[in-house]
Amino acid sequence: MIWTLVVLPLVMMLMGFPIFLVLLAASAATMAFTMHMPMVALQQYLFASVNAYALLALPFFIFAGELMDRGGIAQRLIELMRASMGRVPGKVPLTGITSGAVFGAITGVGAASVATLSKVMLPSLREDKYPDSYSSGLLVSAGAVGVILPPSIPMIVYAAAADESIPRLYAAGIFPGLLIVGLLCLHALWVGRRHDMPASEAFSIRRFVNAFRRGIWAAGVPVLIIGGIYGGIFSPTEAAGVACLYAFLVSWGVMRHLTLKDLLEAARTTVMFTSQIMIVIACAGVFSWLITVNQVSGQLVALIDAMALQPWVLLLAINILLLIVGCLVDPLSAILLLTPLLLPLITAVGVDPVHFGIILTVNLAIGLFTPPFGINIFVLQSLSRIDLRVIYGGILPFFAIYLLALLLVTYVPEISLFGVSLLMGN
Amino acid sequence: MRRVLEILSNWIGNALAVLLILMVLLLCLGVALRYIWGVSLLWADETLVFAMVGMVFVGAIGVSHRDQHLRMSLLTHNASRRVRRFFAIFEQIATVAVCLFVAHYSFKAVSRLSARGTLSNMAEIPLWLIQGTVLVGLVGMALVAAARLWDLLTQTRRTGGSN
């Protein structure tokens, strides 16, 4: 069993095989060679793993994000953020950070935020003489906040893997997300003052009113999603579907920025992205079921019990593991691979599964912009043509900020759980 | 073969894109009917989930065709061309073998559902039709891998195996 459930997938993964194939091969081999059960069960579990209503939110949120990106909603939100600020040192980076947070709060996909932010913000940052290393670090890290603030795609995947409630996870992500935004803003202000960066234009009521008028429809998206879910009007899946329709109607009917061809193209991209993620979810469902029935996680819990580790040491060890994994594997695959193994360990020492979901998400958000394979880095690099060494150099201070936030989120569970009790009661 | 797969992949992409748009419309219709007329479409949720399942497995053929499956390419990224080609050939063989092996049992499961005429609870859709999308996806991915394997092998032969 060790060969088929541990060695085989590890070797295949290191050989760069697709993750769905790694999981499917390991599951098929385990069932065929070490378990005496009908192989037809493989089909049943493949199907059952994705046959879940909660997972419908995933394609709909991705589609809504695609429509908003193509429909110019994101650009208008950035304009609105910029016009809302007065003469402060570091105004442009502050605009980038807050726009990243707001855009993240309407798409839940980090790479989409980075693509939009770099298209709009990089020229402004260069105009204000910010070095490319700082700008790239800022943009890739600001784009990563999107996966922590609701609606977050990794949280939907974690909810499916851990059988947790999506609204509870979303509520728990609000304050950790805002904490990171706050820390990034403080850093931007500090850099602005220390290097005597230009304070840009002063606040103008006329510019603000213009930007507000242009961006009011765009600002309706986060209100619709968050207000709809916590106002008890929609389930997360319905909120995602309604956000798609809203984004299309606003981009096509009001802003006249989106054509029907764009709509079809956005839908095609969404379908491919959804299949890419959910084929892994289907195969991971079979794999995690085999891990459970073969008591792999039970044996791990017994091992940790025998070591008598303090919860804080276990959390530290898990954080280090997640940071390393986050650098090498994409967040969604990492969640699907690690949740069945880590969740029993973490609940055994009394950590709330919702709190753990946020720790996992923050760790994997860091993985989005850390070398060698942070997806945000490649999105920025492909759009800006900034040398990879320059980008890597600029990431370090932002990595430190995220690490500080991660420590706070890990060891102060109230940062996550306060949002849950505030929005959903106990 | 490559051309056929190209056309098929495009066709699948377009058909699933239209399906996604219809899914959004059905979901919004359900919400509107519930709030405006107090009517619930009991079959809608089940239909939407089944449509998503179909989208995932049939869409996976397109993902395979575009070679966009998620993977960890840390080691292979920096490997020599010869090693990368070896891994690629091995990957296609493994994909064909694993997908067809699972498809064989998938076919058995789908045949059983078809013989029993099992219907879903709410929408009363034949379950073999929905679970059949798993079979279609697996066979489609095996075909794409077989075509890629053929390309890789004939390419090696054309270049005299020097790569």
Side-chain angles (χ1 to χ4, degrees):
Chain A
M1 193 190 67
I2 294 289
W3 283 100
T4 53
L5 272 181
V6 181
V7 179
L8 177 69
L10 211 61
V11 170
M12 288 178 80
M13 192 115 99
L14 290 175
M15 285 170 76
F17 283 20
I19 290 167
F20 93 89
L21 183 68
V22 171
L23 296 168
L24 194 61
S27 305
T30 306
M31 286 177 74
F33 302 126
T34 68
M35 295 170 77
H36 302 288
M37 61 184 314
M39 291 296 292
V40 177
L42 197 57
Q43 152 84 11
Q44 302 299 336
Y45 277 96
L46 269 178
F47 177 75
S49 305
V50 286
N51 184 27
Y53 182 73
L55 282 176
L56 259 178
L58 199 123
F60 290 155
F61 273 129
I62 296 171
F63 192 30
E66 275 292 325
L67 289 171
M68 281 181 265
D69 189 29
R70 288 166 197 262
I73 286 182
Q75 280 89 336
R76 294 201 183 195
L77 278 173
I78 293 173
E79 282 169 28
L80 180 60
M81 288 293 145
R82 192 168 189 163
S84 316
M85 282 183 216
R87 194 188 284 274
V88 281
K91 177 174 175 168
V92 181
L94 285 174
T95 308
I97 296 161
T98 48
S99 303
V102 174
F103 192 50
I106 54 178
T107 64
V109 187
S113 304
V114 177
T116 311
L117 282 177
S118 51
K119 269 184 263 173
V120 183
M121 295 307 303
L122 198 58
S124 307
L125 284 159
R126 281 175 171 161
E127 205 175 289
D128 276 13
K129 306 278 187 290
Y130 282 94
D132 274 357
S133 62
Y134 171 80
S135 305
S136 44
L138 175 94
L139 294 173
V140 292
S141 59
V145 183
V147 298
I148 302 163
L149 287 163
S152 150
I153 302 294
M155 281 186 202
I156 299 176
V157 175
Y158 174 76
D163 201 17
E164 256 307 327
S165 139
I166 297 174
R168 281 172 67 83
L169 281 162
Y170 280 2
I174 293 174
F175 289 103
L178 292 178
L179 171 75
I180 293 171
V181 171
L183 290 173
L184 289 173
C185 286
L186 283 176
H187 179 255
L189 280 170
W190 179 75
V191 169
R193 277 185 205 283
R194 189 182 152 97
H195 298 285
D196 204 19
M197 287 302 186
S200 303
E201 68 270 14
F203 178 79
S204 147
I205 189 77
R206 184 198 251 174
R207 197 179 318 119
F208 176 74
V209 170
N210 268 341
F212 186 76
R213 220 172 31 212
R214 282 169 54 81
I216 182 73
W217 288 99
V221 184
V223 175
L224 185 80
I225 295 172
I226 307 294
I229 295 174
Y230 295 107
I233 303 166
F234 309 128
S235 66
T237 303
E238 288 173 343
V242 173
C244 291
L245 188 65
Y246 180 88
F248 170 69
L249 291 176
V250 168
S251 312
W252 177 68
V254 181
M255 296 179 178
R256 306 207 175 273
H257 208 285
L258 194 84
T259 60
L260 290 177
K261 197 179 162 203
D262 292 330
L263 171 73
L264 199 68
E265 198 48 51
R268 274 177 64 106
T269 308
T270 305
V271 166
M272 287 301 126
F273 194 29
T274 304
S275 293
Q276 197 186 38
I277 299 166
M278 286 186 64
I279 191 76
V280 180
I281 295 182
C283 299
V286 188
F287 189 72
S288 67
W289 167 68
L290 289 170
I291 280 180
T292 310
V293 295
N294 284 295
Q295 296 186 325
V296 176
S297 27
Q299 286 165 17
L300 268 177
V301 172
L303 186 76
I304 298 291
D305 260 357
M307 290 163 78
L309 285 180
Q310 293 288 324
W312 73 269
V313 180
L314 181 66
L315 280 170
L316 187 69
I318 286 178
N319 270 326
I320 292 169
L321 170 77
L322 289 172
L323 282 173
I324 295 168
V325 171
C327 290
L328 305 176
V329 183
D330 77 286
L332 304 177
S333 308
I335 290 171
L336 292 164
L337 291 171
L338 294 177
T339 302
L341 286 173
L342 297 181
L343 197 63
L345 292 181
I346 215 81
T347 45
V349 296
V351 176
D352 190 304
V354 170
H355 176 212
F356 179 61
I358 304 304
I359 296 174
L360 193 68
T361 311
V362 175
N363 267 296
L364 299 174
I366 295 173
L368 286 177
F369 69 90
T370 41
F373 293 112
I375 181 81
N376 288 7
I377 297 174
F378 295 117
V379 172
L380 178 74
Q381 209 252 341
S382 68
L383 288 168
S384 66
R385 304 276 162 222
I386 298 175
D387 192 272
L388 265 182
R389 281 167 300 184
V390 175
I391 301 179
Y392 286 166
I395 285 167
L396 212 57
F398 299 96
F399 178 66
I401 291 170
Y402 267 77
L403 273 190
L404 173 65
L406 176 63
L407 281 177
L408 290 169
V409 168
T410 303
Y411 293 112
V412 188
E414 288 75 18
I415 296 174
S416 311
L417 300 178
F418 176 65
V420 183
S421 55
L422 186 74
L423 288 168
M424 308 190 68
N426 289 316
Chain B
M1 180 71 166
R2 197 192 290 171
R3 184 81 193 121
V4 173
L5 283 173
E6 181 79 43
I7 293 167
L8 195 69
S9 171
N10 270 334
W11 187 85
I12 287 172
N14 286 334
L16 294 178
V18 173
L19 176 70
L20 177 68
I21 294 166
L22 292 175
M23 284 164 66
V24 171
L25 291 176
L26 177 60
L27 184 89
C28 293
L29 178 72
V31 173
L33 285 176
R34 192 175 69 225
Y35 280 106
I36 300 170
W37 289 285
V39 178
S40 285
L41 296 177
L42 294 175
W43 51 270
D45 287 354
E46 198 177 63
T47 308
L48 283 170
V49 176
F50 286 164
M52 175 185 69
V53 172
M55 192 169 88
V56 169
F57 287 103
V58 180
I61 303 171
V63 179
S64 286
H65 182 253
R66 294 177 185 197
D67 200 12
Q68 285 181 340
H69 280 296
L70 298 173
R71 62 178 81 225
M72 192 187 92
S73 47
L74 178 67
L75 290 184
T76 50
H77 193 69
N78 296 315
S80 68
R81 218 171 141 184
R82 188 187 284 257
V83 172
R84 279 209 306 268
R85 168 156 294 179
F86 170 73
F87 281 163
I89 290 174
F90 191 26
E91 178 191 321
Q92 307 318 319
I93 295 170
T95 308
V96 174
V98 173
C99 286
L100 289 184
F101 176 75
V102 181
H104 168 69
Y105 291 101
S106 176
F107 178 73
K108 280 188 174 179
V110 173
S111 304
R112 264 185 225 169
L113 285 170
S114 169
R116 285 183 201 148
T118 320
L119 301 177
S120 68
N121 292 331
M122 304 305 290
E124 300 194 342
I125 299 171
L127 277 182
W128 69 266
L129 196 69
I130 309 304
Q131 294 220 14
T133 57
V134 180
L135 177 63
V136 171
L138 289 166
V139 172
M141 286 192 287
L143 278 175
V144 171
R148 195 164 288 140
L149 179 65
W150 174 258
D151 277 355
L152 280 163
L153 291 175
T154 49
Q155 204 179 345
T156 311
R157 209 178 298 150
R158 273 202 304 273
T159 54
S162 61
N163 287 316

